[in-house]
Short mmCIF file of all heavy atoms in Angstrom, two decimals:
data_model
loop_
_atom_site.label_atom_id
_atom_site.label_comp_id
_atom_site.label_asym_id
_atom_site.label_seq_id
_atom_site.Cartn_x
_atom_site.Cartn_y
_atom_site.Cartn_z
N TYR B 21 7.23 5.50 24.58
CA TYR B 21 6.75 5.92 25.90
C TYR B 21 6.17 7.32 25.81
O TYR B 21 6.70 8.18 25.08
CB TYR B 21 7.90 5.94 26.91
CG TYR B 21 8.35 4.58 27.37
CD1 TYR B 21 9.35 3.90 26.67
CD2 TYR B 21 7.81 3.98 28.50
CE1 TYR B 21 9.79 2.65 27.09
CE2 TYR B 21 8.24 2.72 28.92
CZ TYR B 21 9.22 2.06 28.22
OH TYR B 21 9.65 0.83 28.63
N LEU B 28 8.76 9.56 32.18
CA LEU B 28 8.01 8.54 31.46
C LEU B 28 6.75 8.23 32.25
O LEU B 28 6.81 8.03 33.47
CB LEU B 28 8.84 7.27 31.30
CG LEU B 28 10.19 7.38 30.58
CD1 LEU B 28 10.79 5.99 30.39
CD2 LEU B 28 10.06 8.08 29.25
N MET B 96 8.54 9.35 23.32
CA MET B 96 9.92 8.91 23.13
C MET B 96 9.91 7.60 22.34
O MET B 96 9.34 6.60 22.78
CB MET B 96 10.62 8.70 24.47
CG MET B 96 12.09 8.31 24.31
SD MET B 96 13.05 8.36 25.86
CE MET B 96 12.45 6.89 26.67
N MET B 98 12.06 4.60 20.84
CA MET B 98 13.32 3.96 21.19
C MET B 98 13.69 2.88 20.18
O MET B 98 12.85 2.06 19.79
CB MET B 98 13.23 3.35 22.59
CG MET B 98 12.91 4.36 23.68
SD MET B 98 12.89 3.60 25.33
CE MET B 98 14.62 3.13 25.51
N ASN B 160 24.01 9.96 22.35
CA ASN B 160 24.19 9.29 23.63
C ASN B 160 24.18 7.77 23.54
O ASN B 160 24.81 7.09 24.33
CB ASN B 160 23.08 9.71 24.61
CG ASN B 160 23.06 11.19 24.87
OD1 ASN B 160 24.02 11.74 25.39
ND2 ASN B 160 21.98 11.85 24.50
N CYS B 161 23.44 7.21 22.59
CA CYS B 161 23.16 5.78 22.58
C CYS B 161 24.40 4.96 22.21
O CYS B 161 25.30 5.42 21.51
CB CYS B 161 22.01 5.46 21.64
SG CYS B 161 22.24 5.99 19.93
N TYR B 162 24.39 3.72 22.69
CA TYR B 162 25.49 2.81 22.37
C TYR B 162 25.07 1.37 22.62
O TYR B 162 24.17 1.08 23.41
CB TYR B 162 26.74 3.12 23.21
CG TYR B 162 26.53 3.00 24.71
CD1 TYR B 162 26.67 1.78 25.36
CD2 TYR B 162 26.18 4.11 25.47
CE1 TYR B 162 26.47 1.66 26.72
CE2 TYR B 162 25.97 4.01 26.83
CZ TYR B 162 26.12 2.78 27.46
OH TYR B 162 25.91 2.67 28.81
N GLN B 163 25.75 0.49 21.93
CA GLN B 163 25.70 -0.94 22.19
C GLN B 163 26.99 -1.26 22.95
O GLN B 163 28.07 -0.80 22.56
CB GLN B 163 25.64 -1.69 20.87
CG GLN B 163 25.37 -3.17 20.97
CD GLN B 163 25.23 -3.79 19.58
OE1 GLN B 163 26.12 -3.63 18.74
NE2 GLN B 163 24.13 -4.46 19.33
N ALA B 164 26.89 -2.02 24.02
CA ALA B 164 28.07 -2.32 24.84
C ALA B 164 28.93 -3.37 24.13
O ALA B 164 28.95 -4.55 24.49
CB ALA B 164 27.64 -2.82 26.21
N ARG B 173 31.02 6.61 25.49
CA ARG B 173 29.64 6.96 25.81
C ARG B 173 29.20 6.37 27.15
O ARG B 173 28.42 6.98 27.88
CB ARG B 173 28.71 6.52 24.68
CG ARG B 173 28.93 7.34 23.41
CD ARG B 173 27.99 6.96 22.28
NE ARG B 173 28.23 7.83 21.13
CZ ARG B 173 27.29 8.33 20.35
NH1 ARG B 173 26.02 8.03 20.56
NH2 ARG B 173 27.60 9.11 19.33
N LYS B 174 29.70 5.19 27.47
CA LYS B 174 29.37 4.58 28.76
C LYS B 174 29.84 5.44 29.92
O LYS B 174 29.21 5.47 30.99
CB LYS B 174 30.01 3.19 28.86
CG LYS B 174 29.28 2.10 28.10
CD LYS B 174 30.05 0.79 28.13
CE LYS B 174 30.16 0.23 29.52
NZ LYS B 174 30.84 -1.11 29.50
N SER B 175 30.96 6.13 29.73
CA SER B 175 31.53 6.93 30.82
C SER B 175 30.92 8.33 30.92
O SER B 175 31.20 9.06 31.87
CB SER B 175 33.05 7.06 30.63
OG SER B 175 33.34 7.81 29.45
N ALA B 176 30.10 8.70 29.94
CA ALA B 176 29.50 10.04 29.92
C ALA B 176 28.20 10.06 30.70
O ALA B 176 27.60 9.02 30.99
CB ALA B 176 29.26 10.47 28.47
N HIS B 177 27.74 11.27 31.02
CA HIS B 177 26.45 11.42 31.68
C HIS B 177 25.35 10.91 30.75
O HIS B 177 25.36 11.18 29.55
CB HIS B 177 26.19 12.88 32.02
CG HIS B 177 24.85 13.13 32.63
ND1 HIS B 177 24.56 12.77 33.93
CD2 HIS B 177 23.72 13.67 32.11
CE1 HIS B 177 23.30 13.09 34.19
NE2 HIS B 177 22.77 13.64 33.11
N GLN B 178 24.41 10.15 31.28
CA GLN B 178 23.36 9.58 30.45
C GLN B 178 22.08 9.45 31.26
O GLN B 178 22.09 9.51 32.49
CB GLN B 178 23.79 8.21 29.90
CG GLN B 178 24.26 7.24 30.97
CD GLN B 178 25.00 6.05 30.39
OE1 GLN B 178 24.48 4.96 30.37
NE2 GLN B 178 26.22 6.28 29.92
N ARG B 179 20.98 9.28 30.53
CA ARG B 179 19.70 9.11 31.21
C ARG B 179 19.67 7.76 31.93
O ARG B 179 20.51 6.88 31.71
CB ARG B 179 18.55 9.19 30.19
CG ARG B 179 18.58 8.10 29.14
CD ARG B 179 17.27 8.01 28.37
NE ARG B 179 17.38 7.11 27.24
CZ ARG B 179 17.34 5.78 27.32
NH1 ARG B 179 17.22 5.19 28.51
NH2 ARG B 179 17.44 5.02 26.24
N LEU B 180 18.67 7.59 32.78
CA LEU B 180 18.48 6.34 33.51
C LEU B 180 18.20 5.21 32.52
O LEU B 180 17.36 5.35 31.63
CB LEU B 180 17.32 6.49 34.48
CG LEU B 180 17.03 5.29 35.39
CD1 LEU B 180 18.17 5.11 36.39
CD2 LEU B 180 15.71 5.50 36.13
N HIS B 181 18.90 4.10 32.68
CA HIS B 181 18.66 2.95 31.82
C HIS B 181 17.34 2.28 32.19
O HIS B 181 16.97 2.20 33.36
CB HIS B 181 19.79 1.91 31.99
CG HIS B 181 21.06 2.29 31.32
ND1 HIS B 181 21.69 1.49 30.39
CD2 HIS B 181 21.83 3.39 31.43
CE1 HIS B 181 22.79 2.07 29.98
NE2 HIS B 181 22.90 3.22 30.60
N LEU B 182 16.66 1.76 31.18
CA LEU B 182 15.48 0.93 31.39
C LEU B 182 15.90 -0.53 31.42
O LEU B 182 16.88 -0.93 30.77
CB LEU B 182 14.46 1.17 30.28
CG LEU B 182 14.00 2.61 30.08
CD1 LEU B 182 12.98 2.69 28.95
CD2 LEU B 182 13.42 3.18 31.36
N GLU B 183 15.17 -1.34 32.15
CA GLU B 183 15.54 -2.75 32.29
C GLU B 183 15.66 -3.45 30.94
O GLU B 183 16.55 -4.28 30.73
CB GLU B 183 14.50 -3.47 33.16
CG GLU B 183 14.83 -4.92 33.43
CD GLU B 183 13.82 -5.60 34.34
OE1 GLU B 183 12.89 -4.91 34.82
OE2 GLU B 183 13.95 -6.81 34.56
N ILE B 184 14.79 -3.10 30.00
CA ILE B 184 14.77 -3.75 28.70
C ILE B 184 16.08 -3.53 27.93
O ILE B 184 16.46 -4.33 27.07
CB ILE B 184 13.57 -3.24 27.85
CG1 ILE B 184 13.41 -4.07 26.58
CG2 ILE B 184 13.72 -1.77 27.51
CD1 ILE B 184 13.01 -5.50 26.80
N GLU B 185 16.82 -2.46 28.27
CA GLU B 185 18.04 -2.13 27.53
C GLU B 185 19.24 -2.98 27.91
O GLU B 185 20.23 -3.01 27.17
CB GLU B 185 18.38 -0.65 27.74
CG GLU B 185 17.33 0.30 27.22
CD GLU B 185 17.61 1.74 27.58
OE1 GLU B 185 17.44 2.11 28.77
OE2 GLU B 185 18.02 2.50 26.68
N GLY B 186 19.19 -3.63 29.08
CA GLY B 186 20.35 -4.39 29.52
C GLY B 186 21.56 -3.48 29.67
O GLY B 186 21.44 -2.36 30.19
N PRO B 187 22.74 -3.90 29.20
CA PRO B 187 23.94 -3.06 29.34
C PRO B 187 24.03 -1.95 28.30
O PRO B 187 24.94 -1.11 28.37
CB PRO B 187 25.08 -4.06 29.14
CG PRO B 187 24.51 -5.08 28.20
CD PRO B 187 23.05 -5.21 28.61
N ASP B 188 23.13 -1.94 27.34
CA ASP B 188 23.16 -0.94 26.27
C ASP B 188 22.36 0.30 26.67
O ASP B 188 21.61 0.30 27.65
CB ASP B 188 22.56 -1.51 24.99
CG ASP B 188 23.26 -2.79 24.52
OD1 ASP B 188 24.45 -2.97 24.85
OD2 ASP B 188 22.60 -3.59 23.83
N LEU B 189 22.52 1.35 25.89
CA LEU B 189 21.65 2.52 25.98
C LEU B 189 21.05 2.72 24.60
O LEU B 189 21.77 3.02 23.65
CB LEU B 189 22.43 3.77 26.41
CG LEU B 189 21.56 5.00 26.68
CD1 LEU B 189 20.78 4.83 27.98
CD2 LEU B 189 22.40 6.27 26.75
N TRP B 190 19.75 2.50 24.50
CA TRP B 190 19.11 2.60 23.19
C TRP B 190 19.03 4.05 22.74
O TRP B 190 18.99 4.98 23.54
CB TRP B 190 17.70 2.02 23.26
CG TRP B 190 17.64 0.54 23.46
CD1 TRP B 190 18.68 -0.30 23.76
CD2 TRP B 190 16.47 -0.28 23.39
NE1 TRP B 190 18.23 -1.59 23.88
CE2 TRP B 190 16.88 -1.61 23.65
CE3 TRP B 190 15.13 -0.03 23.13
CZ2 TRP B 190 15.98 -2.68 23.66
CZ3 TRP B 190 14.23 -1.09 23.13
CH2 TRP B 190 14.66 -2.40 23.39
#
Side-chain angles (χ1 to χ4, degrees):
Y21 286 89
L28 303 186
M96 183 169 75
M98 301 183 66
N160 300 298
C161 58
Y162 60 86
Q163 189 176 54
R173 291 182 178 220
K174 282 174 64 176
S175 66
H177 177 74
Q178 53 195 252
R179 62 167 172 78
L180 183 68
H181 285 236
L182 303 180
E183 183 177 356
I184 189 66
E185 297 173 287
D188 303 334
L189 187 72
W190 291 10

